[in-house]
Amino acid sequence: MRRAVPILALAAATLTISCIELTIDGSALGSVEFVQLPSPSIVVGDTLRDSSGNAFQLATRVYLADGTETTTFPVTYVLLDTFADLKGDYLIARSSLDLGTVPKQRIAATVGGLQSLVRTVVVVPRPDSLRAVGPLVDTIEYRTPSTAADTSVALAVRVVTGSTTLLAGVRDYVVTYRLRRPDSSIVPAADTSRNFWLLGTGDRATAIDTTDASGNASRRLRFRLRAGQAAIDTMLVEAEARLGARLLPGSPVRFTVLIQPRPAS
């Protein structure tokens, strides 16, 4: 025979459970953030570098349980593959590798008992030059009002390695684009409040690309005639890539984009 439990007894039990408190020490280790790497690739025998060619030191942000950033906990970096070594907090790609296998080096940061997300870089061959792919001159025939069709063709370049007769593309390599007026003054390349800006994949405004598996990178120039801003009939687009602190031979590749109204149909 089942025994009925009085409603008051149930209420008391619920109240007892709801009064349980959990105490968290705000000064305890809370979380680890392995800072994003500046490039998806590292050149064989070289160190990881930022977009300006400077050697990049691995960095990690450590937070206490209360969200406060702290520097009191030591950080250790762990290599999950054998394609690179650590020299202090600098990642150095090994110089003797079979690059035909596209070696990928995984790295993680550990602090106390916590491990960060795993970051990955591809070890690539040493690039020799940057070259144009396709025409260096294009024309945008713009409409009023502007439409998404007021865009140049892909202004494409290729990062290559090897002899002049046998060239191979270098994948996952950073290429930076820049906008100039005919007077050589620089235009902010991703500022969509102006007449001109550069487009990447998915029409996202960005001036930086990384090469695909064939070593190719590209951006497109978008034009929109805005009220109160002078129309320009020519814009220059420059693409460059670096090896360390110096520009790759062939950099910058210069494209000329002519701007003119679309003829009346």
Side-chain angles (χ1 to χ4, degrees), residues 47-70:
T47 188
L48 191 63
R49 296 182 181 275
D50 63 21
S51 59
S52 298
N54 301 310
F56 179 81
Q57 186 174 12
L58 301 179
T60 298
R61 296 189 180 99
V62 182
Y63 298 92
L64 300 177
D66 64 4
T68 304
E69 188 171 358
T70 179

Side-chain angles (χ1 to χ4, degrees), residues 120-202:
T120 303
V121 290
V122 178
V123 183
V124 298
R126 183 183 179 88
D128 292 324
S129 63
L130 182 70
R131 302 187 174 203
V133 178
L136 293 174
V137 179
D138 187 38
T139 300
I140 296 176
E141 293 184 343
Y142 65 87
R143 299 157 178 79
T144 305
S146 178
T147 73
D150 300 341
T151 305
S152 74
V153 298
L155 306 174
V157 294
R158 178 177 296 151
V159 179
V160 297
T161 184
S163 67
T164 55
T165 56
L166 183 61
L167 293 174
V170 179
R171 61 179 295 157
D172 295 296
Y173 208 81
V174 175
V175 176
T176 302
Y177 282 76
R178 179 171 52 240
L179 283 179
R180 288 189 186 273
R181 297 183 180 89
D183 63 3
S184 293
S185 59
I186 295 177
V187 179
D191 184 353
T192 58
S193 68
R194 299 174 180 268
N195 286 353
F196 300 91
W197 65 94
L198 291 171
L199 291 178
T201 304

Side-chain angles (χ1 to χ4, degrees), residues 41-144:
S41 66
I42 181 172
V43 174
V44 62
D46 196 13
T47 188
L48 191 63
R49 296 182 181 275
D50 63 21
S51 59
S52 298
N54 301 310
F56 179 81
Q57 186 174 12
L58 301 179
T60 298
R61 296 189 180 99
V62 182
Y63 298 92
L64 300 177
D66 64 4
T68 304
E69 188 171 358
T70 179
T71 58
T72 58
F73 293 89
V75 179
T76 301
Y77 294 102
V78 179
L79 301 182
L80 305 179
D81 301 286
T82 59
F83 304 119
D85 298 299
L86 285 169
K87 186 175 182 180
D89 290 340
Y90 292 92
L91 185 68
I92 311 291
R94 295 186 175 180
S95 56
S96 298
L97 293 173
D98 177 10
L99 298 178
T101 62
V102 190
K104 296 181 179 180
Q105 177 64 58
R106 295 170 297 162
I107 317 120
T110 61
V111 182
L114 298 183
Q115 177 180 303
S116 71
L117 292 174
V118 175
R119 303 288 188 192
T120 303
V121 290
V122 178
V123 183
V124 298
R126 183 183 179 88
D128 292 324
S129 63
L130 182 70
R131 302 187 174 203
V133 178
L136 293 174
V137 179
D138 187 38
T139 300
I140 296 176
E141 293 184 343
Y142 65 87
R143 299 157 178 79
T144 305

